[in-house]
Amino acid sequence: MLLSIFLGISTFVVFILLDIPYGRLMAAVAGAFDLIPGIGATIGISLICLIILFQGIMLSLKVLVGCIVLQQVEEKLLIPPIMQGSININPVIMFIALLVGPRVAGLVRVFLSSPIAGVIISLLDIDEMRGEKTEQPSG
């Protein structure tokens, strides 16, 4: 939910800067589509760019570039710490899981890489890969 709110607000700012008509509505659409894991933001941004395409190709390309930058910021900088807090995985391990997952099993693994990494870490009881620092026994 936090990520969808971030994308909705940040796309609204981009739409204001580019003077897009109905920017508030289109930003809400982008935020709503971002609730769909993995591919939702891409679908929402593509839909918005198709709608704006009727106002001009250059404007649509500017919106596309701006939204892609925002989406990359969200995926690379915001998702690992937020997911680490919710499933207790070290951010580095989360980043590796997000990179390796799609390579191993394709599109399905994009949706499942974070939960599977959390389950593996829990089952194998690997404290070094957990998000929280564990107390080391003294002695």
Side-chain angles (χ1 to χ4, degrees):
M1 185 63 104
L2 290 173
L3 298 171
S4 297
I5 292 170
F6 165 77
L7 189 67
I9 291 171
S10 57
T11 53
F12 179 63
V13 170
V14 168
F15 294 163
I16 287 175
L17 292 174
L18 294 175
D19 197 29
I20 303 294
Y22 303 108
R24 199 175 313 155
L25 175 65
M26 291 193 196
V29 168
F33 270 95
D34 194 36
L35 290 171
I36 301 170
I39 197 161
T42 305
I43 293 171
I45 291 168
S46 300
L47 178 66
I48 290 168
C49 287
L50 284 175
I51 293 169
I52 295 174
L53 187 62
F54 293 109
Q55 297 176 11
I57 294 174
M58 285 307 295
L59 184 61
S60 181
L61 287 175
K62 288 177 186 178
V63 168
L64 179 65
V65 169
C67 288
I68 287 174
V69 167
L70 292 174
Q71 186 179 6
Q72 291 303 309
V73 166
E74 176 188 16
E75 289 180 3
K76 304 298 186 231
L77 296 178
L78 297 177
I79 288 179
I82 289 174
M83 293 299 285
Q84 179 259 336
S86 65
I87 61 174
N88 194 22
I89 295 179
N90 187 319
V92 174
I93 301 300
M94 175 63 64
F95 185 71
I96 291 170
L98 290 173
L99 287 177
V100 172
R103 304 276 188 254
V104 173
L107 185 61
V108 173
R109 187 62 76 128
V110 170
F111 303 117
L112 300 176
S113 61
S114 301
I116 288 175
V119 167
I120 290 171
I121 290 170
S122 294
L123 287 176
L124 298 177
D125 198 26
I126 305 171
D127 289 333
E128 291 80 15
M129 292 185 176
R130 294 188 191 278
E132 302 172 348
K133 284 268 188 192
T134 57
E135 292 295 322
Q136 298 292 332
S138 60

